[in-house]
Amino acid sequence: MARKGENIYKRKDGRWEGRYIKSKPVGGKTQYGYVYAKTYRETKNKLVYIQNQCRIRQTVEEETCPVIYFGDMAKEWSDNIRPQVKESTRVKYQNLLNSYILPEFMDIPMDQISRERIEGFCKKLLLTGGRKGTGLSPKTVSDVLSLVRNILRYSADKGSTVLCDARSISVKQNVGEMRILSRSEQEILCRYLRLNLNARNMGILICLFTGLRIGELCALRWEDISLAEKTIYVHQTMQRLQTDCCAGKKTKVMITAPKSSCSIRRIPIFDSLFQIISDFHGPKRGFVLTGSEREFVEPRTMQNHFKRVLMASLLAPANYHALRHTFATRCVEVGFDVKSLSEILGHASVNITMNRYVHPSMELKRENMQKLSSLFAVK
């Protein structure tokens, strides 16, 4: 039986056992240590000695190891990765930090950020996050969590005590069905675009039949289109980014290299589309959508134009990116080999193409199921 308040017990083997707290991290599980002796007094003496040693060690550690706060580590991590990432990626990270992460963890010591706190933070963002307090999308919360995870891992690599690296924490994603234009919708859209042909409508046709991303189209210049080789050279993209001035509220349009080296590619143009492009060919230099060296059409403007085109064509609403998904789906339906399609889309691997961009239509599923009819025939 234990001596009251001392954590000293007599074991069944006749020895005495003393228990002491070895470490007690905030938000973590208490770690215990043990001492053993033949008598109660000897055990108590050992216990008192080692408890004093633990107090001395803790005092020394507190004096020699300054408290490291999450906000300081986040800044160090951000400065460290800055030369390694694109400007657009850096701006995205900074927005997530300023909007969601730092308000929650700024002044919290790294060794006090527990799994429970991170999970509660993610749950709060899902339920009440955002400017309107209606909750953020699972995709956004997943991006926030990924950033927190990177900073915790960086801190651990620097030798800081980290209770939870958040690798086992995840945010369930709601995978919605991507809008794909049916063949009949694609025919209606193409008919409208060709009857009302202008630079922007030609741009929509180019995306629909090459899979270009909207930023790649907006950055496309006439000198990137080779009339001799019938190819489009994709090596730039356009996007509007927040700047660092005025509390991050102002934005600017930037033209940079695509998001990965795989996105730099040459896309062959089939004859019918090539004829439309060559007939519409403007000056040898300048943006394709404007024919100007300085004036351009930014992605948001192009998205709004596409919405108006769908309304005028009496087609159901669709995101501009649906053109890229539709292109990939049609390519599979007509028998493209997946490796060629993957390179045309600018993907790093065939798996990305198959998992993210290939959506077999009901027509194709029906055709494939029909192939089973020969096995059903009665001889």
Side-chain angles (χ1 to χ4, degrees), residues 36-53:
Y36 304 94
K38 292 182 179 180
T39 65
Y40 163 79
R41 183 169 295 279
E42 186 180 355
T43 304
K44 184 172 182 179
N45 290 338
K46 280 187 177 183
L47 195 60
V48 170
Y49 173 79
I50 200 166
Q51 286 173 336
N52 288 334
Q53 291 297 109

Side-chain angles (χ1 to χ4, degrees), residues 271-317:
D271 292 343
S272 301
L273 179 60
F274 171 76
Q275 188 61 53
I276 292 175
I277 294 174
S278 59
D279 289 345
F280 207 87
H281 197 290
K284 292 186 177 180
R285 302 186 65 83
F287 292 101
V288 169
L289 294 181
T290 62
S292 169
E293 283 280 1
R294 296 183 178 180
E295 296 180 3
F296 52 80
V297 177
E298 68 168 294
R300 185 184 304 172
T301 302
M302 197 63 191
Q303 288 174 342
N304 292 332
H305 174 72
F306 180 58
K307 290 179 181 179
R308 291 192 292 270
V309 166
L310 292 178
M311 291 179 62
S313 304
L314 302 180
L315 294 176

Side-chain angles (χ1 to χ4, degrees), residues 226-261:
S226 172
L227 298 181
E229 298 178 1
K230 298 183 180 180
T231 59
I232 295 177
Y233 178 43
V234 182
H235 63 107
Q236 291 183 313
T237 187
M238 181 187 295
Q239 52 192 323
R240 179 172 287 279
L241 300 175
Q242 286 188 335
T243 60
D244 291 331
C245 65
C246 302
K249 294 183 179 180
K250 290 199 172 182
T251 62
K252 62 179 178 179
V253 173
M254 293 185 63
I255 298 177
T256 62
K259 62 181 183 179
S260 69
S261 59

Side-chain angles (χ1 to χ4, degrees), residues 25-91:
V26 178
K29 188 175 181 180
T30 301
Q31 302 294 319
Y32 293 96
Y34 301 88
V35 296
Y36 304 94
K38 292 182 179 180
T39 65
Y40 163 79
R41 183 169 295 279
E42 186 180 355
T43 304
K44 184 172 182 179
N45 290 338
K46 280 187 177 183
L47 195 60
V48 170
Y49 173 79
I50 200 166
Q51 286 173 336
N52 288 334
Q53 291 297 109
C54 286
R55 292 190 191 99
I56 293 171
R57 185 171 63 250
Q58 183 179 357
T59 302
V60 171
E61 288 176 351
E62 289 175 352
E63 292 176 350
T64 59
C65 299
V67 177
I68 300 175
Y69 294 99
F70 184 93
D72 296 328
M73 190 57 66
K75 185 180 186 307
E76 185 178 328
W77 172 83
S78 182
D79 292 341
N80 182 67
I81 67 161
R82 186 166 190 159
Q84 308 168 32
V85 299
K86 290 180 57 180
E87 179 69 9
S88 58
T89 302
R90 188 195 67 80
V91 170

Side-chain angles (χ1 to χ4, degrees), residues 7 25 29 85 119 149 181 193 214-215 236 271 330 358:
N7 275 334
K29 188 175 181 180
V85 299
E119 288 180 329
R149 194 182 292 127
L181 301 182
L193 295 172
I214 188 170
Q236 291 183 313
D271 292 343
R330 291 292 103 82
V358 175

